[in-house]
Amino acid sequence: EIVLTQSPATLSLSPGERATLSCRASQSVSSYLAWYQQKPGQAPRLLIYGASNRATGIPARFSGSGSGTDFTLTVSSLEPEDFAVYYCQQRSNWPLTFGGGTKVEIK
Amino acid sequence: QVQLVESGGGVVQPGRSLRLSCAASGISFSTSGMHWVRQAPGKGLEWVAMILYDGSGNYYAGSVKGRFTISRDNSKNTVYLQMNSLRAEDTALYYCARDKALQALDYWGQGTQVTVSS
């Protein structure tokens, strides 16, 4: 099973700042990595798939990069609605796995 | 407008069974793979199972393999999760989600709560 390790666990930032979230895989997942955002009481929302492709309707301030074992989700300038928990997920191998999440909180 | 509506959750004793349903609308269900993902209270996301668009293949997390069965009825636009031999650690909010070309999960329901307790 591929283990995804997300860091940091919590990121404390102010609106307007840049957020950089990391996801590291225990073995190569090529570019088969997705990112999701989850707010309290809501279902997850797909942000990025294929490591760098924005899903439909996702603002351009969200971007994904990386391949192999190291991936990054960047939010260029945090809006108030971006404070949430973010998860990465791989689909290179079965079973699909999720990372443990990074909480982006207001500083 | 895409809607995935889960149902069938509830409180059940350990060792008992439960069947979850997820009714889909607004998507081409018969050409979509479908997933179940769960989230224990205060915890992260855990993928549970996936079924291919035509039901020809399915995949499971190790923690549920042999106890849970995913199935679908394309005539009813519905995917199911039969859960047997339930354990306390199966307590979670269960989401169904659509598969996006075997790359990601692009549409999610709001979830149905399963609580396993004596």
Side-chain angles (χ1 to χ4, degrees), chain A residues 31-34 36 38 41-46 48-50 87 89 91 94-100, chain B residues 35 37 39 43-47 50 59-62 95 99-106 108-110:
Chain A
S31 294
Y32 296 118
L33 191 102
Y36 301 84
Q38 188 179 33
Q42 296 186 17
R45 177 174 71 143
L46 175 65
I48 301 287
Y49 66 95
Y87 295 96
Q89 170 249 316
R91 69 113 300 191
W94 298 104
L96 299 189
T97 49
F98 288 90
Chain B
H35 298 261
V37 176
Q39 188 167 34
K43 302 297 184 183
L45 301 172
E46 181 187 14
W47 176 79
M50 187 263 186
Y59 305 87
Y60 297 94
Y95 295 103
D99 185 83
K100 178 180 174 62
L102 289 175
Q103 293 214 47
L105 286 62
D106 59 353
W108 296 65
Q110 287 304 304

Side-chain angles (χ1 to χ4, degrees), chain A residues 11-106:
Chain A
L11 198 53
S12 299
L13 295 168
S14 300
E17 289 193 295
R18 182 184 189 91
T20 303
L21 288 66
S22 173
C23 177
R24 178 164 290 178
S26 59
Q27 64 188 76
S28 176
V29 299
S30 185
S31 294
Y32 296 118
L33 191 102
W35 290 93
Y36 301 84
Q37 176 193 68
Q38 188 179 33
K39 298 178 182 178
Q42 296 186 17
R45 177 174 71 143
L46 175 65
L47 299 175
I48 301 287
Y49 66 95
S52 61
N53 301 290
R54 270 190 304 276
T56 304
I58 300 305
R61 65 181 181 272
F62 291 92
S63 63
S65 64
S67 66
T69 61
D70 290 295
F71 299 86
T72 300
L73 174 70
T74 301
V75 188
S76 59
S77 178
L78 284 164
E79 297 287 339
E81 61 267 28
D82 298 336
F83 291 91
V85 180
Y86 293 83
Y87 295 96
C88 57
Q89 170 249 316
Q90 67 81 23
R91 69 113 300 191
S92 174
N93 284 7
W94 298 104
L96 299 189
T97 49
F98 288 90
T102 290
K103 182 179 181 180
V104 179
E105 65 176 22
I106 300 176

Side-chain angles (χ1 to χ4, degrees), chain B residues 8-82:
Chain B
V11 180
V12 62
Q13 293 178 329
R16 303 298 292 265
S17 299
L18 208 57
R19 188 176 85 153
L20 307 182
S21 300
C22 171
S25 59
I27 60 171
S28 178
F29 184 79
S30 62
T31 62
S32 298
M34 297 295 295
H35 298 261
W36 287 96
V37 176
R38 67 186 181 184
Q39 188 167 34
K43 302 297 184 183
L45 301 172
E46 181 187 14
W47 176 79
V48 173
M50 187 263 186
I51 187 166
L52 295 179
Y53 70 98
D54 59 356
S56 62
N58 45 49
Y59 305 87
Y60 297 94
S63 57
V64 307
K65 199 167 189 176
R67 300 188 299 124
F68 290 11
T69 302
I70 189 171
S71 61
R72 64 189 298 155
D73 185 338
N74 285 351
S75 69
K76 296 182 178 179
N77 284 4
T78 301
V79 62
Y80 304 98
L81 186 67
Q82 177 67 42

Side-chain angles (χ1 to χ4, degrees), chain B residues 91-102:
Chain B
T91 294
L93 185 62
Y94 284 73
Y95 295 103
C96 73
R98 190 187 78 156
D99 185 83
K100 178 180 174 62
L102 289 175

